[in-house]
Each structure stands twice: as structure tokens, then as C-alpha cells.
Amino acid sequence: MATSAIFALFALPYILASPHPPPYSPSKELALRDISDKSYAPYKVECPTGWTWIRNATEGLSQGEKDFVANRQKVTGPTINTMASNQGITNPPRTPTIGVALAGGGYRAMLTGLGGIMGMMNESSEAAASGTGGWLDGVTYWAGLSGGSWATGSFMANGGESPINLLNNLWNLDSNLIFPSDGKLSFYTTLASEVNAKSDAGFPVQLTDLWGLAIGSHVLPTEYQLTNKPNLTLSSLPSVVEKLGNGSLPMPIIIAAEREQGELVIAENATVWEFNPFEFGSWAFGSTVKSIGAFTNLEYLGSELNNGETNGTCYKGFDQLSYVMGTSATLFNSALLTLNNSDSGLVTNLIEGFLQDLGEDQYDISRVPNSFANYNPGGNPISSFEYITLVDAGETNQNIPIEPLLIPFREVDAIIAFDSSYDSPYIWPNGTALRTTFERAKVLAENTGTQIRMPEVPSENGFINGGYNTRPTFFGCNDTTTPLIIYVPSYPWSSAANTSTYQLEYSDEQAREVMYNGMRSFTLNGTVETWPKCLACALTDRSFEYTSSNRTAECQSCFDTWCWAGDDNTTQPNTYNPEIDSVPPWLTVNSLSSGKADAKGVENTTSSNTSSSAGSRVMSGTSWSRSLLLGLGLGSTMLI
């Protein structure tokens, strides 16, 4: 259907509603903006001269990333020294490179992950009182996936604002992502207008474009939402956001996984692609056969390249931040299919057009023009592809995006992995995401020689039987060839944070409870006196080149307490269903926490929910999201 015809179709309800044109108003002009307004669409620019369009992955980091890291160390170095000194630890001999990774899982993951981040910020009085506030300024890299990418994009685009302030002052979570509570007609009309503009510019469009724009309208700064100009690109963030440009914030990385036509994506064959402010690419190409990957400049993504050379026509604007966040969360494209059965009727034709174009089994992909076409054709398994087809990397069960932080070139020393995955029947993490990445690393190393610096972790049963999925655990303590991973699973310290992945609206009260619970999963609710020192020991350990033979007595005591002991009890555990408003049993058994009476600086009242278990909470709510899952045939198999 021609663009003009589609737009006329969406305008039809206005025409039928009144025999006369409606009176002019600014809001209606924004809602029914002229089709020539292409703020979301890529636009032509002059091609730069003397430009290297493709960079082989063997070259290591891009110059932009190297410059960013050097600038960021001006912040991280003094911060880490201060945080170490605060805990009585000697300043490390070199500045460690620290990363954080935020798991996927929709709004639940966004709120829980940013709660964990808030636990690392002195802007939170509770985090400061708990002794963990301030560590965020020591972090160099921040990776996000799916709902964790929404957290990443929102936090960065809003200049590192405290997550609780974003919730209180910006986000509109009580208006459903798909069925907004107000302005529904203008919302759908503008969605169609923006996506049609991208199509008019000659670029592929799909449900991902609609979904990404919907996400952006809830979590990005007001000036970049649908009612204004949704034209904020990931590559422009360092120039638009002063704190990112001057190194005051960590470098964001958003990931997705490739799914080739007719392919079943599993962790072992998945190609992980990353978007960062400087580049788009992968460290290794191919599924069944792996080859050395490559990267291209993100700002010009979408420009047609042939064997690393441009045809003379270049574009900017393809890397819209909303589109990148949508690409990382294509699992949620399925939610848009419910519009076909809704009373809106406004985007049905557009959605059906996408399904006819892509195929019913391809609704959850995002197509990126292949910048690596005909590049290194002898050793590049994607050289013949017109598009790189990406999906939510959670579909590979690697729901914590730590792989970009395991790349040897980045030399990451410690990773704080926030896990809010839907792994168990009651929507709590069980360590599967970390285990999957470990198993993938083994297979890739054995079969392809691809090296991923991943420490060993226990099996799923071992995680549950050892209680490692209830409280922070250190992995890789004595394997100095890998980063040290501080695994932080979501646990119901103060609320039923096990909301459905498909819950697309939250009251402010519920959102605050989930966010604060995420913070307390990291701070341990301020109830473990030794935790701040042990965290400092873990984050600085690699800088000292410590092993168990030369660590300080205090830090070795911390490692004896918090490190995985190497055990792996693979017997079938009981169903994991922790009690709400409780303390992880392991902390009590080891006399590390006496309970909530120890809590420090609490900023918010605990949940008013009185259910005895998290399971009863999730069964009594989320009926809409559960019916959506069942209606789409997803059941409970999409555990992210």
C-alpha cells in the first residue's frame, strides 16, 4: 500500500468524526504532522572522504572507544581509590576496568536493574548509608539487553539522572506500552507516520520500529518522544549528553543476537552483535561456522557498502536510540500483534503488511542493512546477506549481556551482573543465564578457537542447591585469566519483584517497590556489615594480581565467604519460591545478617503486600500479561 494511502487510512477516523475540519491546535498538529516530517527516518548526507568504513575485529578497540576509556579513567581512577580507602583497602596499583551488565525481562528488568544501579549511586541516601553508593563512578562499561537496554538507553539519554527521579518525574509507566490510557489515536497515528517516513527513505521497516518508538515514548527525554521529535541517535549521545561526552558516565553497550533465515538460535551458534556510541558489529561472524568479525561506524549505519566501500550515497539517523532498544527487545514485538484483535484498528493494516513481507514466523526480527556485504567474501559467512537479521539475545538464554565485557581487548577486571531473569516457575533467577554463557564459551573455544574469558559457574541445580541465586556470589576468584564476576540475583528483600516479563504497565507505587527491591538485592538492605569491604575487595582484586596465596587477610576472608566454592550439587532441588520480605537463608545461617532490623537509611516503605510467598503474588496478578503469553502461544517458555 502506498504511503499516502496508509496515512489517509489512519486519518479516516478524524474525517468521519466531523463534517468540518477540526479547529487548529498545536497538539493536533503534532499528532497529525505532515508526512514529510521525517525526524525518525534516516537522511542523506555527503559521504566523508578518507574514511575507513570497515574495521577488522582483530584490530581491537576503535579509536573512539580508546579515547572514551582514557577520558573515563580520569573519573574512575580517583573514585576507585576513594571507595577502596573508605573500606580500609590500599589503593590498587592500577585502575581496574569495571563493567556492569543488566539482564533482560521487560519493565521488571528495567526497574530491577536500575534499582541495582541506584545502589551504586551516592544520590541514593540508602545506598550511601549501606556503603555501596559511589561505585558507579568507578564503572567503565555498561551493557544492557532487552529490558536492560531500556534501562541503559533511558539512564544515558537522561544524563545519569537518579533512577528514582526518572520514575517520579519522567516515565509514564502507568500508561500501557501498547494500549496507552490516553491519546491512543494520536499515538498510533504518529507511530504510523514516523515508520512510513523511514520506509519512504528506502529502509526496511518492521514491528521493531513501532515497538522501539513506543518504548522511547515512555522512557526517553520528553523532547525525543513521539509528541516531539523522536530523533535521538545512539551515536549522537556523547555530543548530546554532556556527562557521557566528558566521561562522567560509563560507556553504554546494547546487544542483540543474529538469527539467519530458517535458523533456530541457540547459545552455541548465536552471533552476538553490539551497538555502542562508536560502532556496530560483532567480534565473530557466522553461526555453524565462525569467522573473525568486524565493525562499522555507527553514525553512518545504513549507508550502502560493498566490500568496505561506499557507493557514493551515505545516510545518518538509522541508529535511532529507540530503534536500537527495540532491536534488543524484539521478543516484545509479539505484544503488538494483539492490536490486530483490539478495537483500535489503526495499525492493523501496517502490521499485516509487515507479516506479509516478512512471514508470520519472522515478526520478531529487526533488519539492519548489511554493512559487511562482499567484505572478505572468502572468510565471511554473512558476505552475501542483504540484511543482518537481529533478535532479542534473551532468546539464546544468555539473558545477562556479559559477553561484550568478556572480550580480551577490553581487559575488564570485574563485572557486576544484575540478574532479573524469568528462570523459575515463580519468575526468579536461577543462574541459567550465567551457566549458558559458560557453556557457550566452552563450545566456541573447543570448536572454533573463539576465546571468551568466562569463569566457570555451577549448573542450574547447583545454583539453587547452593543458594547462589539468592544473594551475591563471586565467580572466578582464583582464575586470573578471566574477569571476576559479582553475580547479583533479584531476591524479594522488600517486595514481590517477580512481575511478569509481559507486564506492560505499572503503577508508580509498584514500580518504586520493584526498583527499591533491586537496589536492596545489591546493598543487602544495608544489613551485612562486611559487604561493602568485600565488594571493594572483589572490584579491585585483579589490579593487585591477587591469588589466595597473596591476598590480604581481610580480603581473603571476604573471598572465603562470598566466592563460589566450586561445588555443584546437581540433584533435583525443590521448586524455588522465596518468601517476600525475607532475608536470604544463607545470610542468616552464616550469621551475616540478622534481618531487617539492621537495615540502614531506608528511603521507601516496604511492600504492603502480605502474601507469604512470591509465587502467590505472581499468580494473583498479571492476568493480562499471562493471557497475552498464552494467546501468542508462548506459554512459559520464553524465560527472560
Side-chain angles (χ1 to χ4, degrees):
M1 184 181 293
T3 296
S4 57
I6 292 176
F7 187 73
L9 175 67
F10 293 139
L12 187 60
Y14 284 105
I15 298 172
L16 296 177
S18 173
H20 303 292
Y24 169 80
S25 75
S27 61
K28 289 185 177 180
E29 182 177 352
L30 285 171
L32 291 172
R33 67 177 70 183
D34 189 275
I35 196 65
S36 64
D37 185 348
K38 302 178 187 299
S39 58
Y40 176 73
Y43 55 95
K44 287 184 179 181
V45 296
E46 290 187 10
C47 295
T49 58
W51 196 264
T52 299
W53 289 96
I54 303 294
R55 184 182 65 78
N56 192 289
T58 58
E59 297 174 12
L61 306 183
S62 69
Q63 191 58 50
E65 182 172 342
K66 290 178 182 176
D67 293 342
F68 179 92
V69 170
N71 202 28
R72 178 64 176 160
Q73 283 187 339
K74 298 174 184 177
V75 177
T76 61
T79 295
I80 292 172
N81 287 344
T82 297
M83 295 299 291
S85 297
N86 288 345
Q87 299 303 324
I89 296 174
T90 303
N91 287 347
R94 64 172 177 82
T95 300
T97 299
I98 300 171
V100 297
L102 272 59
Y107 272 156
R108 178 191 71 250
M110 182 183 79
L111 292 166
T112 299
L114 283 180
I117 292 296
M118 191 162 65
M120 302 177 70
M121 301 176 68
N122 269 326
E123 287 82 352
S124 164
S125 60
E126 184 171 336
S130 297
T132 61
W135 272 114
L136 186 62
D137 286 336
V139 171
T140 299
Y141 292 108
W142 171 329
L145 173 156
S146 196
S149 78
W150 310 350
T152 305
S154 183
F155 186 86
M156 297 298 170
N158 287 287
E161 183 65 59
S162 171
I164 198 64
N165 289 344
L166 294 177
L167 170 58
N168 291 335
N169 302 323
L170 174 67
W171 295 343
N172 186 22
L173 304 191
D174 61 354
S175 179
N176 191 281
L177 267 171
I178 302 302
F179 300 98
S181 56
D182 54 7
K184 185 183 300 184
L185 190 59
S186 62
F187 175 74
Y188 292 143
T189 304
T190 311
L191 273 180
S193 173
E194 296 293 352
V195 172
N196 284 333
K198 182 176 179 179
S199 178
D200 288 348
F203 289 87
V205 293
Q206 55 267 301
L207 291 175
T208 305
D209 292 280
L210 293 169
W211 175 249
L213 283 165
I215 296 167
S217 288
H218 285 72
V219 303
L220 292 183
T222 303
E223 60 266 36
Y224 299 114
Q225 296 181 9
L226 270 177
T227 51
N228 291 301
K229 293 277 188 176
N231 62 347
L232 179 63
T233 60
L234 178 54
S235 60
S236 71
L237 278 185
S239 58
V240 172
V241 179
E242 182 180 1
K243 286 187 176 181
L244 190 60
N246 65 21
S248 296
L249 294 176
M251 184 180 122
I253 302 172
I254 292 175
I255 74 166
E258 182 178 359
R259 186 178 73 205
E260 299 176 10
Q261 186 72 31
E263 181 183 48
L264 173 66
V265 178
I266 58 176
E268 287 79 5
N269 71 2
T271 299
V272 175
W273 290 79
E274 67 175 64
F275 298 81
N276 66 59
F278 312 106
E279 291 186 314
F280 166 76
S282 176
W283 295 95
F285 288 157
S287 55
T288 56
V289 177
K290 293 291 182 186
S291 69
I292 295 171
F295 291 83
T296 189
N297 182 278
L298 183 68
E299 186 177 11
Y300 290 93
L301 186 63
S303 300
E304 185 176 343
L305 301 181
N306 184 14
N307 194 22
E309 298 293 334
T310 177
N311 66 358
T313 302
C314 293
Y315 286 86
K316 290 184 179 182
F318 185 87
D319 63 310
Q320 297 292 342
L321 182 55
S322 61
Y323 169 72
V324 174
M325 292 190 297
T327 296
S328 187
T330 61
L331 175 73
F332 294 87
N333 286 4
S334 56
L336 285 164
L337 299 183
T338 61
L339 288 175
N340 283 338
N341 299 316
S342 73
D343 60 357
S344 68
L346 291 175
V347 290
T348 296
N349 283 14
L350 194 58
I351 290 174
E352 290 179 349
F354 291 155
L355 298 180
Q356 291 172 6
D357 179 37
L358 295 172
E360 294 285 344
D361 61 340
Q362 295 291 305
Y363 65 84
D364 63 334
I365 67 168
S366 177
R367 292 176 292 178
V368 177
N370 185 11
S371 300
F372 311 98
N374 299 317
Y375 170 75
N376 185 25
N380 176 7
I382 66 168
S383 65
S384 63
F385 294 174
E386 181 179 6
Y387 299 114
I388 299 166
T389 50
L390 301 179
V391 297
D392 190 318
E395 294 186 26
T396 72
N397 291 326
Q398 291 189 100
N399 199 41
I400 308 175
I402 63 172
E403 189 164 312
L405 308 179
L406 301 173
I407 300 302
F409 290 116
R410 289 194 165 119
E411 299 180 333
V412 174
D413 295 294
I415 302 169
I416 302 175
F418 293 106
D419 193 3
S420 54
S421 301
Y422 178 173
D423 290 332
S424 65
Y426 293 111
I427 317 183
W428 295 106
N430 64 11
T432 302
L434 278 191
R435 179 68 184 189
T436 301
T437 299
F438 169 68
E439 292 177 346
R440 166 180 162 86
K442 283 200 308 181
V443 170
L444 291 179
E446 293 169 358
N447 297 343
T448 70
T450 303
Q451 297 300 315
I452 299 175
R453 300 164 63 233
M454 177 68 190
E456 185 174 1
V457 299
S459 64
E460 173 186 329
N461 288 354
F463 260 100
I464 298 174
N465 287 325
Y468 302 118
N469 64 322
T470 67
R471 42 82 176 184
T473 305
F474 302 162
F475 294 103
C477 292
N478 293 310
D479 181 1
T480 56
T481 65
T482 74
L484 193 150
I485 295 179
I486 298 95
Y487 174 66
V488 183
S490 177
Y491 182 87
W493 277 92
S494 56
S495 74
N498 59 330
T499 53
S500 170
T501 299
Y502 276 87
Q503 183 171 334
L504 302 182
E505 61 184 86
Y506 283 71
S507 68
D508 286 350
E509 178 184 3
Q510 186 185 25
R512 274 190 290 271
E513 289 180 350
V514 175
M515 181 178 287
Y516 277 110
N517 192 80
M519 177 173 65
R520 290 161 188 157
S521 295
F522 177 69
T523 65
L524 304 183
N525 210 15
T527 68
V528 179
E529 184 178 357
T530 58
W531 172 239
K533 174 170 285 189
C534 290
L535 177 64
C537 286
L539 293 174
T540 60
D541 187 75
R542 293 291 192 259
S543 297
F544 291 99
E545 299 184 358
Y546 279 154
T547 65
S548 56
S549 64
N550 65 346
R551 284 191 188 99
T552 64
E554 284 185 309
C555 282
Q556 186 57 47
S557 176
C558 284
F559 276 47
D560 291 341
T561 300
W562 297 95
C563 286
W564 174 47
D567 59 310
D568 192 8
N569 181 354
T570 60
T571 59
Q572 185 65 37
N574 294 326
T575 300
Y576 176 58
N577 182 22
E579 291 190 0
I580 301 170
D581 204 20
S582 67
V583 174
W586 180 86
L587 294 180
T588 303
V589 168
N590 287 277
S591 302
L592 293 169
S593 171
S594 62
K596 301 194 70 172
D598 293 338
K600 299 177 181 178
V602 175
E603 295 178 3
N604 185 48
T605 57
T606 57
S607 173
S608 59
N609 188 293
T610 58
S611 298
S612 61
S613 72
S616 60
R617 162 59 179 85
V618 86
M619 290 299 182
S620 64
T622 67
S623 58
W624 182 88
S625 56
R626 285 186 175 278
S627 64
L628 172 61
L629 284 167
L630 295 172
L632 295 172
L634 298 177
S636 59
T637 61
M638 307 301 288
L639 304 184
I640 71 168

